[in-house]
């Protein structure tokens, strides 16, 4: 904990000119085209439509881009350490222990044939020398920390036996148990109902601020990101077209961001045609 | 003008690969072309296709290609090793092994064609009906399929042949009767995955009849995996037919069936190895051809895998 | 309650399947162009004794009653008498069956021990040369006529190189020297303390079981690869990697844990397939098992023996299917 | 009344495992109205729609469409009256059929002549030119696919369009296009719309009236004006409203489960 506090003013993550490319029959296709940002101990939202490269940006930080994708960057550093140069062994140390990730749908992101308790305990044991009893104790504590009422009972459940909301809490417990510094949340609430969504976000919010974690929150939902995060990057076609403070999103400058905001229907507005986004080829370059 | 001289090929390629086809035929051909381009990149699959095509050509032109008559005996030239006159040697009756193999290709192709034309079709009808209608139709049809599937295929084929009498026709019947159940299973599984999909619901909401949905919507989606499975299975059919021939229950002498030829060479195998080895090689190559072809087709038609 | 209900469903399923098997063997027995009366009496029967025998065999009854009689007989263990050996078919089958089991068991062990790792390896190296090599080897394994391969192996390893013993379960010299306790010669030899015979029997076992196992390796490797590729695409695999698990643990613990159940089914099915594949292998290697028994009976038109053998193999098939179904329900948390 | 539903009940499964998906729902939709059915997953909103459409034939109660009482099995003519658009444009088009075939099929089933002209007209109607006619679904974007799905529903010239989360699988910019299209088509063809969604903002944009469902029951009905004013009476509706206004730490604390 003390190291962490000391490093508080240094950036947690530095990304400069990040590119992710996939070979196709006609050459390399770039999913991420030169993304740069730095992240402190804050909640950074990455917003964009499908195919904008937002998820791929999150995954490339953990070097989990599926084969045969290629990740390059001028700089991709976590706490000053070059992630692209890290050995696979070092990368495994970093994964989970320092950087964790929560994905969209717990139905798919939990191992269906292992009890949730063992999956959480496993996450703890990879990064510590703890014995089985200690790991179980910690896992039960963690389940309580994500506000699961009866941890003992849930511990022995299989993923198909829990609801979506509870599954996502379990996922959060599993990812936060090694006490990472950075959490990448990739559409963590998109598969959930709105009320459950809010409850899960509240848990994420509390745990992050308690532990002083940084968070990258990847989502397609502008309103949600604006209300949940501190800062926002807006991605279009593999690039960051605009970045702003969440509270100032309504004053966004880029026509793409403005177009997206305008095309959202609102409860408090009378029915009528919504402005349609017309895409400018220039945005691909900007 | 010069720029146009080399465009005809580029022209029809563009026509095939366009994203905006102008007619039904163009859309369909474009689709076939895309499949062929994907298939062509798998060299082993192309090799398989060539082997299967070669089998067809050899079978069609057997009398022209074979240097000797398949039944022509030469008792002075018995069990000759491979030579310029007899490329693959001669058998115990002095018959040219190459010529017999070439004529045997007709039998192999006939068996393959007959089984391929019956068993998958039966399986497709049974499987899609069971999967689409569900309920008791599914229970009854799948019970029957499971029973048939629980039988040892080869041994049941043996029992059938024993009952019907040895011979190539009965071997084909026995193989066809024992090989439909896996197709029914596959077709049913495919049907179940698409039955609840929205496009089937949409078709029902158009007022489409069950027959129209099964024939027009479900079967086309089952056919890809059935073609793959059938092609792969043809290797097994060839091996089973050869096995029956080997046991003396398939094609009867003097028919140049490859399995039976191995059986007749068996007693000489330690001295005149080629008599048994050559037909075995022929079986192996042709089965491998079907396997390679099926494996390549799977990549194109059914990328999900097994 | 649901467990009991499912158990009952399974029992009914098995019963119906067995009945179906019996119906098929029964019908095959009826269409055979051999007159069972004549084959019981010999050719010189007069009309009276013919009619008497017909009644005795129940052939004057309606077909469905004949079938019930047949089912009753089978349930009592009466599979008829073999014309060839003049012994009850069941006795014959029980005597030869252990030899087939020995062969198939060793083959399936070979298949699983080599096939599963090969399949996993191919899947984790998808699209690279180990994958292509394993895939090609698998296709080759599926393309070779097993009886021909047996012949060629005998030619090479026995006749030319003299590395392997010839056909049979033991050298002629040792035949009949140990009492058949289990009917499995290697085990019997060990039980009798005859290490020489054990080694000899083991040597005899190597070639046929390796050839039979080749087919099973190809099949198991292919299925394992397919299952594995499906799993490696899943999001929970990403989760396991995010946790910082080693690739070994991701593959062998998480992914393999999810395919264990279908894999067991595949191995059970391939075991069943090997029992049947033994028909041809046994013929080539003069292996006195059920396969050889059935083919010999076939060639002498001994229908009782053929159908009895078919019935036994079919019953073992059904038992294996049921077993893998049970295992599936026991092992997969989602099926409980 | 275009649609009149009385005491609709749908149960799935049998015996002890049975779940009541829809529990005594009564509602009606006037001709030409656009009606929203709102709820979270498992609320039974889609199940109501499937019962009305004829896709689910295992229900009790009374369903009348255009004054005609409907049984579990529908007459062929019903489908000319009432069509449906599904949520996922990737799953609702047959992957091996061209747009042409998808649109030609309903024409063939109902024996309407003049297929070419009808297909051209309906494609133009949904804002796709004739260039799209011979494409396969994989050659189309999500929004284009949803337009094709809408075209398929319109080709029979129905009076009622049932919409099952028609925009929730689409990006917001495409959602706006589809909502605008639906509004225009409704006006041009005098359609009655029933929209099932979890998104209150979409309802506010497209509908006149709405009903909120929770756990198979109808919680309350109101006009979209009332919704806009936040004039909901039931605590469940109020919670849903608050939840759709973005994240707020304090509000999240107050949420509770409604059974």
């Amino acid at each position: 904990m003390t190291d962490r506090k000391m490093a508080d003013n240094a950036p947690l993550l530095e990304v400069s000119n990040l590119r992710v490319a996939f070979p196709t029959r006609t050459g390399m296709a770039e999913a991420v085209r030169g993304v740069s940002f730095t992240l402190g101990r804050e909640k950074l939202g990455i917003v964009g439509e499908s195919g904008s490269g937002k998820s791929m940006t999150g995954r490339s930080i953990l070097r989990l881009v599926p084969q045969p994708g290629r990740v390059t960057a001028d700089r991709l550093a976590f706490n000053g350490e070059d992630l692209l140069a890290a050995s696979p062994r070092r990368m495994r140390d970093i994964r989970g222990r320092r950087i964790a990730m929560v994905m969209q749908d717990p139905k798919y992101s939990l191992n269906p044939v292992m009890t949730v308790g063992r999956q959480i305990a496993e996450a703890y044991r990879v990064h510590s020398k703890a014995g089985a009893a200690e790991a179980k104790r910690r896992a039960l504590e963690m389940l309580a920390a994500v506000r699961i009422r009866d941890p003992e009972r849930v511990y022995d459940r299989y993923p198909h036996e829990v609801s979506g909301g509870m599954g996502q809490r379990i996922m959060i417990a599993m990812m936060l148990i090694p006490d990472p510094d950075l959490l990448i949340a990739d559409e963590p609430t998109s598969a959930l109902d709105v009320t459950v969504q809010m409850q899960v976000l509240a848990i994420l919010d509390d745990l992050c601020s308690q532990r002083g974690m940084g968070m990258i929150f990847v989502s397609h939902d502008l309103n949600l990101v604006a209300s949940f995060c501190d800062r926002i990057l807006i991605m279009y076609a593999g690039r960051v077209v605009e970045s702003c403070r969440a509270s100032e999103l309504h004053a966004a400058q880029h026509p793409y961001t403005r177009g997206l905001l305008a095309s959202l229907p609102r409860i408090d507005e009378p029915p009528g045609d919504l402005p349609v986004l017309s895409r400018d080829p220039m945005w691909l370059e900007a | 003008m010069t720029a146009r001289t080399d465009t005809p090929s580029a022209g029809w390629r563009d026509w095939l690969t366009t994203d905006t086809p102008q007619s039904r035929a163009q859309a369909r051909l474009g689709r076939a072309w895309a499949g062929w381009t994907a298939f062509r990149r798998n060299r082993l699959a192309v090799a398989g296709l060539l082997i299967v095509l070669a089998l067809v050509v050899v079978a069609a032109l057997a009398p022209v290609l074979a240097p000797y008559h398949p039944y022509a005996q030469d008792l002075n030239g018995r069990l000759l090793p491979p030579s310029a006159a007899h490329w693959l040697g001669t058998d115990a009756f002095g018959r040219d092994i190459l010529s017999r193999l070439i004529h045997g290709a007709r039998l192999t192709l006939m068996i393959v064609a007959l089984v391929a034309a019956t068993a998958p079709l039966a399986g497709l009808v049974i499987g899609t009906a069971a999967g689409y209608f569900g309920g008791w139709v599914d229970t009854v049809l799948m019970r029957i399929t499971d029973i048939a599937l629980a039988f040892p295929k080869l041994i049941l084929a043996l029992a059938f042949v024993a009952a019907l009498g040895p011979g190539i026709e009965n071997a084909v019947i026995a193989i066809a009767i024992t090989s439909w159940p896996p197709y029914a299973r596959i077709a049913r599984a495919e049907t179940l995955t698409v039955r609840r999909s929205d496009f089937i619901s949409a078709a029902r909401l158009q007022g489409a009849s069950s027959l129209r949905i099964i024939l027009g919507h479900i079967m086309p989606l089952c056919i890809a995996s059935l073609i793959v499975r059938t092609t792969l299975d043809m290797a097994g059919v060839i091996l089973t037919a050869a096995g029956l021939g080997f046991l003396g229950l398939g094609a009867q002498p003097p028919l140049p069936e490859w399995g039976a030829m191995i059986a007749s060479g068996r007693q000489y195998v330690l001295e005149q190895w080629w008599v048994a080895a050559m037909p075995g090689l022929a079986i192996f190559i042709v089965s491998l051809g079907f396997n390679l072809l099926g494996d390549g087709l799977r990549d194109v038609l059914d990328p999900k895998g097994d | 309650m649901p467990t009991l209900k499912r158990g009952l469903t399974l029992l009914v399923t098995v019963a119906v399947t067995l009945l179906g098997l019996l119906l098929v063997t029964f019908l095959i027995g009826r269409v055979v162009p051999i007159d069972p009366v004549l084959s019981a009496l010999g050719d010189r029967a007069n009309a009276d004794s013919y009619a008497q025998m017909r009644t005795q065999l129940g052939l004057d009854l309606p077909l469905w009653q004949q079938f019930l009689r047949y089912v009753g007989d089978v349930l009592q263990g009466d599979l008829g008498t073999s014309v060839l050996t003049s012994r009850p078919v069941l006795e014959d089958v029980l005597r030869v069956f252990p030899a087939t089991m020995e062969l198939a068991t060793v083959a399936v062990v070979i298949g699983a021990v080599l096939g599963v790792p090969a399949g996993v390896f191919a899947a984790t190296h998808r699209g690279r040369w180990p994958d292509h090599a394993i895939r090609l080897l698998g296709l080759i394994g599926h393309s070779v006529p097993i009886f021909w391969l047996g012949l060629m192996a005998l030619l090479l390893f026995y006749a030319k190189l003299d590395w392997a013993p010839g056909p049979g379960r033991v050298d002629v010299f040792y035949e009949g020297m140990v009492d058949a306790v289990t009917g499995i010669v290697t085990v019997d030899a060990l039980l009798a303390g005859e290490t020489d015979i054990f080694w000899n029997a083991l040597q005899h076992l190597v070639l046929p079981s390796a050839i039979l196992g080749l087919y099973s390796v190809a099949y198991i490797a292919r299925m394992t690869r397919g299952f594995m590729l499906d799993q490696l695409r899943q999001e929970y695999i990403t989760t396991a990697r995010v946790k910082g698990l080693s690739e070994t643990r991701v593959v062998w613990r998480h992914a393999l844990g999810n395919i264990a159940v279908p894999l067991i089914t595949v191995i059970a099915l391939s075991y069943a397939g090997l029992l049947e594949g033994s028909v041809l292998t046994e013929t080539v290697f003069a292996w006195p098992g059920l396969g050889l028994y059935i083919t010999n009976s076939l060639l002498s038109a001994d229908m009782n023996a053929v159908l009895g053998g078919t019935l036994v193999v079919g019953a073992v098939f059904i038992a294996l299917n049921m077993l893998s179904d049970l295992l599936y329900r026991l092992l997969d948390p989602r099926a409980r | 009344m275009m649609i009149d539903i009385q005491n609709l009940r749908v149960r799935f499964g049998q015996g002890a495992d049975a779940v009541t998906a829809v529990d005594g729902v009564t509602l009606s939709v006037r001709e030409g109205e656009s009606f929203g059915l709102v709820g979270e997953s498992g609320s039974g909103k889609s199940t109501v729609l499937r019962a009305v459409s004829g896709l689910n034939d295992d229900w009790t109660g009374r369903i009348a469409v255009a004054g005609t009482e409907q049984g579990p099995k529908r007459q062929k003519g019903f489908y000319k009256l009432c069509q449906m658009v599904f949520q996922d444009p990737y799953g609702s088009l047959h992957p091996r059929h061209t747009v042409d075939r998808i649109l030609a099929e309903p024409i063939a089933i109902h024996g309407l002549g003049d297929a070419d002209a009808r297909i051209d007209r309906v494609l133009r109607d949904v804002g796709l030119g004739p260039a799209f006619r011979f494409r396969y679904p994989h050659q189309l974007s999500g929004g284009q696919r949803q337009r094709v799905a809408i075209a398929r529903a319109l080709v029979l010239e129905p009076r009622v369009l049932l919409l099952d989360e028609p925009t929730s699988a689409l990006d917001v910019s495409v959602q706006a296009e589809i909502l605008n299209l639906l509004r225009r088509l409704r006006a041009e063809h005098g359609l009655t719309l029933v929209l099932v969604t979890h998104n209150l903002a979409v309802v506010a944009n497209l509908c006149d009236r709405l009903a909120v469902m929770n756990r198979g029951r109808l919680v309350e009905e109101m006009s979209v004006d009332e919704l806009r004013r936040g004039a909901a009476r039931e605590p469940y509706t109020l919670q849903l409203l608050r939840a759709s206004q973005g994240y707020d730490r304090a509000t999240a604390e107050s949420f509770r489960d409604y059974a």
Side-chain angles (χ1 to χ4, degrees):
Chain A
M1 271 301 202
T2 43
D3 303 359
R4 258 189 217 179
K5 294 295 166 217
M6 272 161 59
D8 244 5
N9 21 4
L12 198 56
L13 184 73
E14 298 161 74
V15 179
S16 168
N17 195 21
L18 175 74
R19 290 173 181 274
V20 181
F22 291 89
T24 66
R25 258 191 294 153
T26 48
M28 298 296 272
E30 282 196 310
V32 178
R33 308 184 300 139
V35 165
S36 305
F37 63 91
T38 59
L39 175 82
R41 296 186 186 280
E42 59 181 331
K43 286 177 285 182
L44 175 72
I46 302 184
V47 207
E49 296 185 290
S50 50
S52 61
K54 55 186 192 302
S55 279
M56 216 44 95
T57 302
R59 287 184 185 219
S60 60
I61 295 165
L62 277 164
R63 283 187 29 204
L64 284 174
V65 167
Q67 290 284 341
R70 266 235 179 94
V71 180
T72 56
D74 292 350
R75 186 160 170 77
L76 181 62
F78 174 75
N79 269 336
E81 180 178 357
D82 185 355
L83 290 178
L84 288 182
S87 67
R89 208 195 154 72
R90 177 68 193 137
M91 210 52 224
R92 284 206 300 276
D93 283 345
I94 293 172
R95 283 187 201 137
R97 175 75 192 83
R98 313 298 303 277
I99 310 177
M101 180 159 84
V102 176
M103 283 159 290
Q104 180 169 350
D105 196 339
K107 212 163 45 205
Y108 303 112
S109 50
L110 291 169
N111 185 335
V113 301
M114 248 169 124
T115 60
V116 297
R118 277 175 62 200
Q119 294 187 54
I120 301 174
E122 186 188 39
Y124 183 65
R125 293 186 72 185
V126 210
H127 299 290
S128 73
K129 294 278 171 287
E134 161 75 359
K136 176 163 183 178
R137 196 179 57 76
R138 287 298 309 267
L140 289 171
E141 280 174 23
M142 203 62 221
L143 282 173
V146 292
R147 290 178 218 152
I148 283 175
R149 257 170 256 151
D150 193 353
E152 291 276 359
R153 225 183 47 198
V154 173
Y155 190 92
D156 289 317
R157 294 261 176 98
Y158 284 95
H160 70 277
E161 296 168 330
V162 302
S163 69
M166 195 183 284
Q168 205 58 310
R169 292 173 197 214
I170 289 164
M171 192 71 195
I172 292 169
M174 179 162 70
M175 285 303 161
L176 296 191
I177 198 171
D179 206 8
D181 302 292
L182 169 61
L183 180 71
I184 299 167
D186 187 356
E187 303 263 12
T189 58
S190 305
L192 308 176
D193 280 329
V194 272
T195 45
V196 182
Q197 187 171 2
M198 292 307 142
Q199 289 162 343
V200 168
L201 286 176
I203 292 167
L204 264 183
D205 197 2
D206 294 352
L207 288 173
C208 272
S209 47
Q210 281 163 21
R211 292 161 182 243
M213 273 191 307
M215 194 196 313
I216 294 179
F217 189 90
V218 175
S219 175
H220 66 280
D221 189 334
L222 272 168
N223 278 332
L224 191 69
V225 172
S227 54
F228 181 72
C229 295
D230 305 318
R231 204 153 58 87
I232 304 182
L233 304 181
I234 292 108
M235 285 189 71
Y236 178 72
R239 284 170 190 257
V240 176
V241 292
E242 179 159 19
S243 105
C244 64
R245 297 218 54 82
S247 51
E248 285 151 19
L249 180 66
H250 58 273
Q253 294 302 309
H254 196 281
Y256 173 67
T257 318
R258 300 184 65 84
L260 274 189
L261 283 169
S263 67
L264 274 174
R266 295 183 176 280
I267 295 179
D268 47 14
E269 273 175 14
D273 272 4
L274 297 160
V276 167
L277 187 70
S278 56
R279 290 154 206 270
D280 186 340
M282 285 294 289
W283 300 347
L284 294 173
E285 313 304 324
Chain B
M1 280 309 279
T2 45
R4 281 211 61 84
T5 50
D6 61 352
T7 44
S9 75
W12 61 255
R13 200 161 300 182
D14 287 345
W15 186 81
L16 282 169
T17 54
T18 175
D19 266 344
T20 52
Q22 301 300 313
S23 67
R24 266 157 238 201
Q26 188 183 359
R28 225 168 270 155
L29 283 171
R31 190 180 181 89
W33 173 255
W36 166 245
T37 336
F39 179 83
R40 214 173 35 171
R41 267 179 287 139
N42 184 341
R43 262 172 294 165
L44 285 176
V46 175
L49 180 64
L50 288 178
I51 293 174
V52 172
L53 286 178
L55 175 74
V56 175
V57 171
V58 166
L61 303 178
V64 184
L65 291 175
Y68 301 88
H69 190 276
Y71 298 156
Q73 301 188 1
D74 172 12
L75 295 178
N76 294 323
R78 295 174 67 237
L79 300 169
L80 292 177
S83 66
H86 299 280
W87 289 2
L88 301 180
T90 61
D91 69 4
F93 295 96
R95 297 175 295 200
D96 181 52
I97 292 178
L98 178 64
S99 303
R100 287 179 63 75
L101 286 183
I102 289 173
H103 280 270
R106 296 187 147 188
L107 295 174
T108 302
L109 192 65
M110 184 187 87
I111 294 168
V112 165
L114 285 176
V115 176
T118 51
L121 212 63
L124 180 66
V125 171
I126 291 171
T128 48
Y132 181 76
F133 291 109
W136 66 268
V137 178
D138 186 31
T139 311
V140 169
L141 287 179
M142 278 302 114
R143 202 68 280 137
I144 294 172
T145 309
D146 279 349
I147 291 171
L149 209 57
F151 291 166
K153 253 174 78 172
L154 179 67
I155 292 180
L156 207 64
L158 287 179
F160 273 122
V161 173
L164 304 171
I168 197 157
E169 300 83 2
N170 291 342
V172 169
I173 293 173
I175 293 172
I177 286 179
T178 53
S179 49
W180 64 267
Y183 300 111
R185 270 278 186 89
I186 293 173
R188 175 174 176 270
E190 295 269 336
T191 306
L192 286 182
T193 59
V194 299
R195 183 178 70 154
R196 297 213 173 279
S197 68
D198 286 345
F199 62 82
I200 297 298
S201 298
R204 281 170 56 195
L205 292 187
Q206 310 294 333
S209 62
S210 297
L211 189 68
R212 178 183 272 271
I213 291 177
I214 291 178
L215 285 178
H217 295 249
I218 291 178
M219 279 192 181
L221 289 175
C222 300
I223 277 176
S225 45
L226 277 189
I227 288 177
V228 170
R229 180 62 192 250
T230 306
T231 316
L232 286 169
D233 276 359
M234 285 311 114
V237 166
I238 292 170
L239 295 182
T240 308
L244 289 175
F246 178 72
L247 294 174
L249 298 164
Q252 296 300 299
L255 276 180
E257 196 274 327
W258 296 346
M261 285 171 70
I262 298 179
S264 68
R266 184 179 171 186
Q267 56 188 131
Y268 315 104
V269 74
L270 298 185
E271 300 304 322
Q272 287 86 24
W273 53 269
W274 56 89
V275 185
M278 296 307 173
L281 265 180
I283 296 171
F284 169 63
I285 291 169
V286 172
S287 311
L288 189 62
F290 277 102
N291 268 327
L292 291 174
L293 179 63
D295 201 52
L297 282 178
R298 168 161 52 210
D299 287 348
V300 178
L301 296 175
D302 186 24
K304 293 188 302 294
D306 291 315
Chain C
M1 179 59 200
T3 329
L4 185 71
K5 199 178 158 194
R6 259 188 274 170
L8 276 175
T9 318
L10 186 64
L11 271 182
V12 171
T13 308
V14 170
V16 171
T17 314
L18 273 174
L19 216 58
L21 176 67
L22 284 168
L23 184 64
V24 172
T25 48
F26 170 76
L27 288 178
I28 291 176
R30 295 303 113 159
V31 295
V32 177
I34 304 166
D35 187 335
V37 183
L38 286 184
S39 68
L41 286 176
D43 285 346
R44 301 222 185 106
N46 60 40
D48 277 354
S49 56
Y50 185 94
Q52 201 186 340
M53 194 59 179
R54 218 173 114 78
T55 318
Q56 199 185 324
L57 291 173
L59 294 173
D60 51 347
L61 297 171
L63 209 58
W64 65 272
Q65 284 187 13
Q66 292 186 37
F67 177 57
L68 285 186
R69 226 173 119 139
Y70 174 70
V71 173
D73 285 350
V74 171
L75 286 181
Q76 288 164 30
D78 180 7
L79 301 179
T81 307
S82 158
V83 178
L84 198 61
T85 63
S86 345
R87 271 184 302 220
V89 169
L90 187 68
E91 206 175 282
D92 278 348
V93 167
L94 289 180
R95 185 170 41 79
V96 296
F97 193 58
T100 301
M101 238 174 72
E102 181 183 29
L103 198 59
T105 307
V106 175
V108 84
V109 168
I110 295 175
V113 166
L114 296 180
V116 172
V120 171
F121 194 68
T124 53
H125 291 75
R126 184 185 200 185
R128 282 175 275 165
W129 70 265
D131 183 21
H132 293 309
I134 288 167
R135 202 168 163 180
L136 186 61
L137 281 176
L139 290 179
I140 289 174
H142 273 286
S143 309
V144 185
I146 206 163
F147 51 96
W148 176 77
L149 195 65
L151 277 180
M152 294 299 121
L154 276 177
L155 170 66
L156 183 66
F157 295 111
Y158 163 62
K160 300 281 183 216
L161 298 172
D162 199 22
W163 289 357
R169 287 178 95 185
V170 283
D171 286 357
V172 183
F173 174 75
Y174 289 121
E175 242 166 61
M177 276 179 64
V178 286
D179 294 330
V181 182
T182 61
I184 299 169
V185 175
T186 42
V187 177
D188 288 344
L190 278 182
L191 286 178
E194 299 273 6
T195 39
D196 284 358
I197 300 183
F198 170 74
W199 283 117
N200 185 265
L202 203 60
Q203 285 169 8
H204 275 267
L205 192 55
V206 170
L207 212 50
S209 59
I211 283 173
L212 200 52
L214 181 77
Y215 182 82
S216 154
V217 173
Y219 177 65
I220 292 175
R222 174 147 129 204
M223 297 304 280
T224 307
R225 177 184 181 272
F227 291 154
M228 204 68 192
L229 283 178
D230 271 352
Q231 294 304 316
L232 290 175
R233 273 195 284 269
Q234 303 294 318
E235 196 77 324
Y236 75 85
I237 292 292
T238 313
T239 305
R241 290 190 178 127
V242 170
K243 283 155 89 173
L245 301 185
S246 68
E247 205 51 29
T248 324
R249 196 170 165 84
V250 171
V251 170
W252 291 92
R253 175 93 177 82
H254 283 262
L256 201 66
N258 272 277
I259 65 168
V261 175
L263 216 50
I264 287 171
T265 311
V266 162
I267 292 173
L269 284 181
S270 95
Y271 189 62
L274 291 176
L275 285 178
E276 154 173 73
S278 63
V279 172
L280 290 162
T281 321
E282 286 176 5
T283 312
V284 172
F285 286 94
W287 194 267
L290 190 56
L292 196 62
Y293 178 73
I294 293 178
T295 32
N296 282 340
S297 315
L298 260 174
L299 296 174
S300 36
D302 185 354
M303 274 323 275
N304 279 345
V306 171
L307 294 178
T310 309
L311 210 52
V312 169
V313 179
V316 174
F317 257 56
I318 293 168
L320 282 169
N321 270 318
M322 186 180 79
L323 201 67
S324 64
D325 206 42
L326 274 177
L327 277 172
Y328 168 70
R329 282 169 195 191
L330 272 172
L331 293 176
D332 194 318
R334 285 160 296 187
R336 274 179 219 153
Chain D
M1 281 305 140
M2 194 47 139
I3 297 174
D4 191 30
I5 301 171
Q6 302 282 336
N7 198 23
L8 180 70
R9 263 169 222 282
V10 183
R11 280 165 73 81
F12 292 126
Q14 287 163 345
D17 302 332
V19 187
T20 304
V22 176
D23 192 1
V25 164
T26 298
L27 59 84
S28 48
V29 180
R30 284 186 293 275
E31 171 144 32
E33 191 176 28
S34 172
F35 187 85
L37 199 52
V38 182
E40 300 188 289
S41 57
S43 63
K45 56 187 191 301
S46 291
T47 313
V48 171
L49 205 68
R50 293 176 78 84
V52 174
S53 71
L55 278 177
N56 184 344
D57 54 18
D58 195 9
W59 47 266
T60 58
R62 178 174 180 271
I63 296 176
V65 180
T68 316
E69 188 148 343
Q70 302 294 335
K73 299 263 182 274
R74 301 295 150 90
Q75 304 295 316
K76 210 167 162 189
F78 172 80
Y79 301 113
K80 285 199 68 186
L81 176 70
C82 179
Q83 278 292 321
M84 181 154 160
V85 176
F86 297 86
Q87 171 177 3
D88 179 10
Y90 293 84
S92 68
L93 302 182
H94 195 288
R96 302 278 162 107
H97 289 179
T98 58
V99 173
D100 173 64
R101 173 148 184 210
I102 289 167
L103 299 179
E105 185 147 38
I107 300 174
I109 292 169
H110 293 271
L112 312 174
D114 211 11
D116 276 342
R118 277 174 196 271
I119 291 172
D120 274 344
R121 190 163 64 227
V122 79
L123 272 178
R124 249 196 316 276
D125 237 13
V126 297
L128 295 172
F132 289 88
R133 183 162 165 190
F134 297 104
R135 290 202 200 174
Y136 284 97
H138 69 86
Q139 294 168 319
L140 304 173
S141 72
Q144 290 166 345
R145 286 179 206 219
Q146 201 60 311
R147 285 170 192 267
V148 172
I150 294 172
R152 171 178 58 194
L154 287 180
V155 104
L156 290 176
E157 296 167 1
R159 291 164 65 197
V160 182
L161 209 52
L162 309 173
L163 307 162
D164 189 2
E165 303 258 13
T167 61
S168 61
L170 305 172
D171 282 323
V172 286
S173 59
V174 184
Q175 166 172 290
E177 293 172 20
I178 297 293
L179 290 176
N180 292 348
L181 171 68
L182 288 170
R183 179 175 307 102
R184 177 169 63 77
L185 290 171
R186 178 191 166 199
E188 284 174 10
H189 298 264
L191 290 168
T192 305
L193 300 184
V194 181
L195 169 75
V196 158
T197 181
H198 66 273
N199 191 332
L200 285 171
V202 166
V203 170
N205 181 262
L206 194 65
C207 299
D208 313 321
R209 214 151 55 83
L210 72 145
V212 179
M213 284 187 71
N214 182 37
R215 311 259 169 120
R217 291 171 187 276
L218 206 68
V219 177
E220 74 175 306
E221 271 187 72
M222 61 176 124
S223 73
V224 165
D225 279 334
E226 287 170 310
L227 174 76
R228 205 167 289 123
R229 294 198 308 269
R233 289 176 299 274
E234 295 294 321
Y236 176 77
T237 315
L238 287 166
Q239 172 168 318
L240 210 58
L241 250 169
R242 274 205 304 276
S244 29
Q245 270 146 6
Y247 172 71
D248 178 55
R249 182 67 192 78
T251 325
E253 202 62 51
S254 70
F255 286 166
R256 59 186 207 86
D257 286 344
Y258 286 89

